[in-house]
Amino acid sequence: MSWRPATMVRAATFFLIGGVTSTLFYWVLGMCTFLLAVIFSAQFYTDVLWFDEIGYLDVYLTVVKTKIWMGLVPFLAMSGFVALNMSLAYKLARADRVISADERRVDAWRRSFEPYFRPIVMTVSLICGLLVGLQTYPRWQTYMLWTNRVDWGRNDPQFGRDLSYFMFELSLHVLINHWLFVCVLVTLILTLVTSYIFGGIRPQAPHSMLPFQVNLHISALVFALMALIGWGMLLELHLLSYSERGVVTGLGFTDSNASLLAYKFVAAAVVAGFVMFQVNIRRPGWIIPTIVMVWLILIGLSIVRFYPNLFQLIIVEPQELERERPYIEDHLQFTRYGFGLDHVERRTAGVTQTGDIEAIRADRPLLETLRLWDPATLLINFRELQAFRAYYDFVDIDVDRYMIDGELQPVMIAAREVDTEQLPERSRRWQSERLIYTHGYGLVSAAVADASEAGLPVFLTSDIPTTGSGPTSVRNPRIYFGESSPEFSIVNSETVELDRPREGRSFAKHDFAGGTGVAIDGLFSRLLFAIRFWDLRLALTTLLSDDSRVLYHRNVRERVQRVAPFLEVDADPYPIAADGRIKWVIDCYTASDMMPYSKRINLGDFSQIFQGKQEETGIIPEEFIRLLERRSNRANYVRGSVKAVVDAYDGRITFYITDESDRVLQAWRNAFPELFRPVEEASAQVRAHFRYPQDLFQIQSVIWADYHMRASDAYYTREGAWRIPHDADFISLRRERARPEHEERNVDLKPYWLRTRFPGHGEPEFAIVQPFSPENRNVLSGYLVGGSDQDRLGKLTSYSFPPDDTVIGPSQAQARIDQDERISAWMTLRMQSGSRVSRGRLLAVPLDNAVIYVQPLFVQADKSSVSELLGAQLASIPELKQVVIVFGDRVLMRPTLKQAVAALFAEEEPSVPGPTEAAEQEQTSES
């Protein structure tokens, strides 16, 4: 049975609507639209209130207006253009034409669609406009960079254009070209369909298949399409600056001599197509358009695709290095510039005779204060010894430095935050989670090199209320904004707000006095926030007063990202004690993927934090991946130009500029002049805790492994190439206790914070360090240092060892530790006595003219069997029991770092207690 076209249209309408009456359908559609409007309006209005409360409403409204224009203009243009051309195609169709027998079926479709033509045109045009608008509005940053662009002051080597064209203009031109191309192409297709259905195009009528008016209309659209193709070819010429063909990113010998010629030839072919379509307008027909289309397709495929590949194979690859040498030099230069590696200070680290004690004697005080506690292990101690209540938690532990006893010393520091997810199930009530448990309390800090007689960390500040004096103590220890703060809390309500636990069953109370938060003092505001958080209890509770305020967007990373969405945010904020308060410092980055000739990387590969966790079978001080907000965008230009400081009590955010020379940041500063402040406006105590940006250093380390080579010949042959060595202690641990989650962890050695005296510097320096090894070898070839102290902040220094000197690498040092009979016997004895021995991080410590390795050994009770017997999970705390030093051919193990250093500098190494004696001594000290 064959259906008539009119029947098929009615059947499709019935299927889409579902057989309901038109009145009910429109009622349902109207209600859904109204609910969506209410939800989005509540979201938008509460965002306006939040930005107004923190003082950045102008920033938010500027972003919103830009997004609206970036979506509205393409939407209106696309919708209007489609509707205009479909209507014009309908009007140009001849209504008085004679219908032939072959056209009757098409005419039946025309009669079915003609009564609904206007609604169809409106629907199709609106859908096309909406799809284009949804594709363009997320590119608001591209438009804002273009409107606020600045001159770069540096030209690219191929086209001689200022880099500002590539960084700020080219992306917008490509976006507009793609958008217009899609717009014209879709319109051309819809115009052809409309003309065919309504008789403008009549393939069955030999003498009137394409009337002059219809031919002129279609030719104009094809003419516009070809003009856009020609413009696209000109843009492709500049996009070759990011070509991946050949051995480098950017223009290579093939691109300069073959691809450029091919694109110019295609542009010429487009011009020829223009001329042929001018002829076609005067002599209508299908032959000329078909020839033009086939011509362009063949030219595009054969010239643009095949010719450069053939040129690469025949001309370039037989003598690739000679052909590519100048382009490799451009690539090396621009990649180093793109990642801020063009001003790295290069030094040669001299290494004296292996194991020469006199070479490191002057550094003995530094060796006695080296960091032993790594964040992975210490996090368990903090949680077990300093959390005190189920609703407190430590997210991670950071390394910073403070002035203690007149000397700048590294400190392990963490914030005790509130975590209502840890409350017992029976205590998890709405009132408790939103009105009572609102904030964390205090900083906990510990010495990096010391341990108590029991092997526990030595706390500098601890307990509730905070005990201990010094630079890490603060007047206001409350933490309303942190890394794991609740989604929202209501302060200054009629309910008592818990401040901190006290002896007995009571707790101290606190009234929030930060002066921030959004007022929630009426029914309307309650309804708004109830809709925003999908929480009806906000509107029904009677515990709110006129002074009540709601705190939300409390995660400090999210808080910074919402205010400055155009900046990349470091994965690891760190707390500081400054000006009597707790503050968070977050490094922010400007990033772009439009630096010509620079290697592109995926930033998502670096948006991870590595920290330890406690497993059911005891401490395993390995590191596992805690994925944060994965960054999926690519970049070949990164600068750590901004430090965001967030007050942990009131949540106020301040952005300080640390690199005025960053051109991308200058453009954003033109767009948001009130957002950024000079770094000089930060207090001296805050500036004293600025560190080298951690994520940026990790990216730079990966790039520097290949791009420290200056000569193009060395880069091409990879002679002298470096790699990041493997994390030796993690590999040993994974080999001993293989677990599925271990395979998720990258085995490369992560950069670490250290305070030592680097070669060529008279004073010790707090810095972040990344060692390197030669490719396919396990020795050390050098290391990269990111300075953080005073005038060294933000400066990179690369140290390389002479090629004829052998410096053992982390894997070799770990192998010596594992092969030492005394250490193996001690570890075996401890594990046989119901304990577990875990290796701490093996640190390669560079000194003025030597490298020494230090590794702590931790012991923890194996609680698995006891837990099974009692049917409960028991706490087990890692204890620092031994310190191992590897220097030259000597491997020493002592109970403390000072004893190990003393043994290292002794003329005769003191006798080491045997495993049994060591165990007896430790058992005596523990008892």
Side-chain angles (χ1 to χ4, degrees):
M1 183 180 79
S2 62
W3 284 18
R4 297 175 57 189
T7 305
M8 295 175 64
V9 172
R10 295 191 187 96
T13 304
F14 181 86
F15 175 77
L16 293 175
I17 297 179
V20 300
T21 63
S22 59
T23 303
L24 179 59
F25 172 75
Y26 287 122
W27 267 103
V28 173
L29 181 63
M31 288 296 296
C32 293
T33 305
F34 175 75
L35 290 176
L36 289 175
V38 169
I39 293 172
F40 285 114
S41 298
Q43 182 83 20
F44 173 74
Y45 186 65
T46 51
D47 279 341
V48 169
L49 295 176
W50 184 79
F51 277 95
D52 185 46
E53 177 265 326
I54 63 174
Y56 292 115
L57 181 59
D58 290 343
V59 175
Y60 178 65
L61 294 180
T62 300
V63 172
V64 170
K65 286 188 291 186
T66 306
K67 286 182 177 180
I68 291 175
W69 281 112
M70 284 293 291
L72 186 61
V73 170
F75 167 76
L76 294 176
M78 182 70 178
S79 299
F81 194 66
V82 170
L84 176 64
N85 281 274
M86 290 183 68
S87 300
L88 182 60
Y90 174 75
K91 290 185 178 297
L92 293 179
R94 296 175 57 184
D96 58 344
R97 67 188 183 282
V98 177
I99 306 300
S100 64
D102 295 333
E103 296 179 284
R104 289 177 181 175
R105 185 171 183 84
V106 177
D107 189 63
W109 280 100
R110 179 189 64 78
R111 290 195 304 269
S112 301
F113 280 109
E114 194 163 19
Y116 309 104
F117 178 73
R118 287 188 177 179
I120 290 175
V121 169
M122 289 182 60
T123 302
V124 171
S125 60
L126 289 176
I127 291 175
C128 292
L130 182 63
L131 292 176
V132 171
L134 292 176
Q135 290 293 320
T136 55
Y137 96 90
R139 303 291 299 273
W140 62 273
Q141 295 185 28
T142 302
Y143 173 76
M144 292 203 73
L145 284 174
W146 176 75
T147 56
N148 297 279
R149 62 191 181 276
V150 296
D151 290 335
W152 207 276
R154 182 172 182 172
N155 295 339
D156 85 292
Q158 178 66 36
F159 300 101
R161 306 196 67 158
D162 189 85
L163 292 183
S164 61
Y165 172 78
F166 295 91
M167 296 294 291
F168 301 133
E169 300 182 40
L170 184 57
S171 294
L172 184 66
H173 293 172
V174 171
L175 174 65
I176 295 174
N177 179 265
H178 288 176
W179 165 57
L180 290 178
F181 181 82
V182 170
C183 179
V184 174
L185 180 62
V186 171
T187 302
L188 176 61
I189 295 173
L190 293 174
T191 299
L192 291 173
V193 172
T194 303
S195 296
Y196 176 73
I197 291 178
F198 291 97
I201 299 176
R202 304 175 64 189
Q204 299 87 352
H207 300 290
S208 59
M209 66 172 57
L210 191 65
F212 176 77
Q213 297 88 344
V214 177
N215 178 61
L216 182 63
H217 182 201
I218 296 174
S219 296
L221 291 176
V222 175
F223 183 87
L225 193 66
M226 295 182 65
L228 290 171
I229 293 175
W231 183 27
M233 291 298 103
L234 296 178
L235 294 176
E236 287 291 338
L237 294 179
H238 293 88
L239 290 176
L240 287 174
S241 300
Y242 313 97
S243 171
E244 299 290 342
R245 180 187 287 114
V247 297
V248 296
T249 300
L251 279 157
F253 187 85
T254 299
D255 295 317
S256 295
N257 295 275
S259 297
L260 285 177
L261 179 63
Y263 282 120
K264 291 177 181 178
F265 192 81
V266 172
V270 172
V271 174
F274 291 165
V275 176
M276 297 178 70
F277 265 99
Q278 291 294 328
V279 176
N280 185 69
I281 291 175
R282 291 169 174 77
R283 296 184 178 181
W286 295 100
I287 298 178
I288 292 180
T290 303
I291 292 176
V292 171
M293 290 301 175
V294 173
W295 166 261
L296 289 177
I297 291 175
L298 290 178
I299 290 296
L301 289 177
S302 61
I303 300 299
V304 175
R305 301 301 177 192
F306 298 147
Y307 174 63
N309 293 334
L310 190 62
F311 187 91
Q312 174 78 18
L313 179 64
I314 298 176
I315 305 298
V316 177
E317 290 189 2
Q319 50 274 336
E320 192 171 38
L321 177 58
E322 287 71 18
R323 302 285 193 187
E324 299 284 3
R325 182 176 284 112
Y327 305 100
I328 294 175
E329 292 174 356
D330 290 337
H331 173 67
L332 293 175
Q333 179 183 3
F334 276 85
T335 298
R336 284 195 291 262
Y337 175 71
F339 291 97
L341 297 169
D342 53 327
H343 294 300
V344 174
E345 182 181 2
R346 299 172 183 257
R347 294 191 176 188
T348 299
V351 180
T352 58
Q353 185 178 359
T354 303
D356 185 4
I357 296 298
E358 296 302 322
I360 63 172
R361 186 171 296 279
D363 296 314
R364 178 170 180 172
L366 283 174
L367 294 177
E368 293 178 346
T369 59
L370 288 175
R371 178 166 67 89
L372 297 179
W373 292 95
D374 60 278
T377 303
L378 194 58
L379 181 63
I380 300 174
N381 293 77
F382 273 39
R383 285 175 172 170
E384 296 292 345
L385 300 176
Q386 289 295 317
F388 297 120
R389 295 291 188 272
Y391 48 82
Y392 286 138
D393 191 23
F394 297 93
V395 176
D396 66 354
I397 297 176
D398 295 286
V399 185
D400 202 355
R401 71 282 196 206
Y402 288 83
M403 191 65 68
I404 300 176
D405 297 331
E407 184 179 358
L408 198 65
Q409 298 183 18
V411 170
M412 312 295 291
I413 191 168
R416 186 188 292 109
E417 300 187 48
V418 65
D419 186 3
T420 55
E421 298 292 331
Q422 302 294 333
L423 285 170
E425 189 63 32
R426 58 184 179 182
S427 299
R428 297 190 61 181
R429 298 291 184 265
W430 184 85
Q431 183 175 347
S432 299
E433 292 182 322
R434 302 303 180 193
L435 279 70
I436 297 178
Y437 300 106
T438 59
H439 61 275
Y441 193 93
L443 291 175
V444 176
S445 59
V448 298
D450 298 331
S452 66
E453 293 184 359
L456 300 178
V458 175
F459 293 105
L460 304 177
T461 54
S462 59
D463 301 335
I464 301 178
T466 303
T467 60
S469 59
T472 56
S473 60
V474 294
R475 294 189 301 272
N476 188 350
R478 297 165 186 87
I479 303 172
Y480 283 87
F481 300 87
E483 294 185 81
S484 64
S485 299
E487 179 186 13
F488 73 93
S489 295
I490 301 174
V491 296
N492 297 336
S493 65
E494 300 293 344
T495 271
V496 174
E497 182 182 342
L498 182 144
D499 186 34
R500 55 179 173 82
R502 292 194 303 192
E503 294 182 4
R505 297 184 178 180
S506 63
F507 55 83
K509 304 166 184 152
H510 177 71
D511 292 325
F512 179 73
T516 54
V518 178
I520 186 169
D521 52 359
L523 180 60
F524 178 70
S525 59
R526 291 191 189 187
L527 289 174
L528 283 177
F529 284 105
I531 295 172
R532 179 187 179 92
F533 297 117
W534 288 97
D535 195 337
L536 186 60
R537 291 163 292 193
L538 270 172
L540 300 178
T541 182
T542 60
L543 298 176
L544 305 186
S545 66
D546 294 339
D547 298 326
S548 296
R549 307 185 78 82
V550 57
L551 306 177
Y552 53 107
H553 297 318
R554 299 175 61 188
N555 182 285
V556 291
R557 288 190 74 251
E558 177 199 1
R559 203 170 178 84
V560 170
Q561 283 179 320
R562 291 189 69 85
V563 175
F566 47 85
L567 296 177
E568 295 290 336
V569 180
D570 196 277
D572 187 17
Y574 60 96
I576 64 173
D579 305 323
R581 304 167 74 95
I582 300 173
K583 299 183 179 182
W584 295 91
V585 178
I586 305 104
D587 289 296
C588 301
Y589 311 101
T590 56
S592 172
D593 65 344
M594 295 303 293
M595 175 59 64
Y597 311 99
S598 178
K599 178 181 179 179
R600 284 175 170 171
I601 62 171
N602 185 0
L603 291 180
D605 296 336
F606 305 95
S607 58
Q608 303 171 358
I609 285 182
F610 297 87
Q611 64 178 33
K613 76 173 182 179
Q614 188 174 9
E615 300 190 357
E616 295 180 357
T617 56
I619 168 68
I620 295 186
E622 37 79 20
E623 296 173 332
F624 74 103
I625 297 176
R626 179 167 66 93
L627 290 178
L628 296 174
E629 187 171 331
R630 287 300 296 254
R631 296 188 279 262
S632 59
N633 54 313
R634 302 175 70 192
N636 59 7
Y637 174 91
V638 183
R639 290 291 187 276
S641 305
V642 178
K643 304 280 188 184
V645 179
V646 182
D647 193 292
Y649 185 70
D650 57 30
R652 299 188 189 277
I653 312 169
T654 309
F655 294 88
Y656 296 107
I657 299 177
T658 57
D659 184 3
E660 296 279 356
S661 64
D662 183 5
R663 297 292 191 274
V664 176
L665 182 62
Q666 291 175 14
W668 288 121
R669 195 175 186 181
N670 291 339
F672 306 104
E674 302 299 326
L675 181 61
F676 302 101
R677 297 184 184 180
V679 70
E680 291 77 16
E681 294 187 12
S683 69
Q685 292 189 23
V686 170
R687 291 201 308 271
H689 294 286
F690 286 166
R691 309 183 311 188
Y692 197 96
Q694 187 165 294
D695 278 2
L696 175 62
F697 184 80
Q698 186 172 348
I699 294 171
Q700 290 175 323
S701 298
V702 174
I703 298 298
W704 187 249
D706 286 332
Y707 291 86
H708 71 279
M709 295 176 285
R710 302 182 187 183
S712 56
D713 295 20
Y715 178 82
Y716 180 83
T717 60
R718 299 194 61 80
E719 195 282 325
W722 291 352
R723 65 174 178 85
I724 296 178
H726 293 327
D727 192 341
D729 55 286
F730 173 77
I731 294 176
S732 296
L733 175 68
R734 185 172 63 179
R735 183 173 59 247
E736 294 174 4
R737 308 171 194 174
R739 301 177 70 89
E741 60 268 21
H742 291 174
E743 300 300 330
E744 301 175 5
R745 157 70 205 279
N746 190 309
V747 298
D748 288 344
L749 181 67
K750 301 302 171 185
Y752 48 88
W753 296 97
L754 201 63
R755 183 175 183 268
T756 185
R757 186 164 63 93
F758 296 99
H761 294 276
E763 298 295 329
E765 180 183 354
F766 179 77
I768 187 169
V769 180
Q770 177 65 71
F772 295 102
S773 294
E775 282 193 337
N776 302 320
R777 293 192 62 196
N778 293 322
V779 299
L780 276 188
S781 56
Y783 50 94
L784 186 66
V785 177
S788 298
D789 288 346
Q790 299 176 358
D791 59 337
R792 295 286 304 166
L793 176 62
K795 295 183 178 180
L796 287 172
T797 306
S798 175
Y799 295 93
S800 58
F801 298 113
D804 54 346
D805 289 341
T806 300
V807 181
I808 65 171
S811 298
Q812 295 171 327
Q814 187 66 61
R816 292 188 181 183
I817 295 174
D818 294 343
Q819 294 167 6
D820 188 88
E821 296 180 358
R822 295 163 298 176
I823 298 176
S824 299
W826 181 86
M827 294 177 66
T828 302
L829 178 64
R830 299 299 298 182
M831 287 188 285
Q832 289 176 351
S833 61
S835 300
R836 309 226 26 171
V837 178
S838 299
R839 302 174 179 85
R841 165 166 278 192
L842 178 67
L843 294 182
V845 182
L847 300 172
D848 187 22
N849 49 12
V851 175
I852 189 171
Y853 287 90
V854 179
Q855 184 177 49
L857 299 179
F858 298 92
V859 174
Q860 185 180 24
D862 190 351
K863 58 185 181 178
S864 57
S865 58
V866 181
S867 298
E868 292 177 3
L869 180 63
L870 299 179
Q873 186 70 23
L874 301 181
S876 185
I877 304 173
E879 300 173 358
L880 177 59
K881 291 300 184 182
Q882 297 289 334
V883 178
V884 179
I885 291 180
V886 179
F887 181 61
D889 296 329
R890 308 179 69 186
V891 180
L892 305 172
M893 182 180 70
R894 294 293 184 274
T896 66
L897 178 60
K898 290 186 178 180
Q899 292 178 4
V901 172
L904 180 64
F905 284 96
E907 294 182 0
E908 293 184 2
E909 183 179 342
S911 59
V912 181
T916 307
E917 296 173 348
E920 292 176 354
Q921 292 177 8
E922 290 185 7
Q923 291 173 2
T924 304
S925 62
E926 291 173 1
S927 61

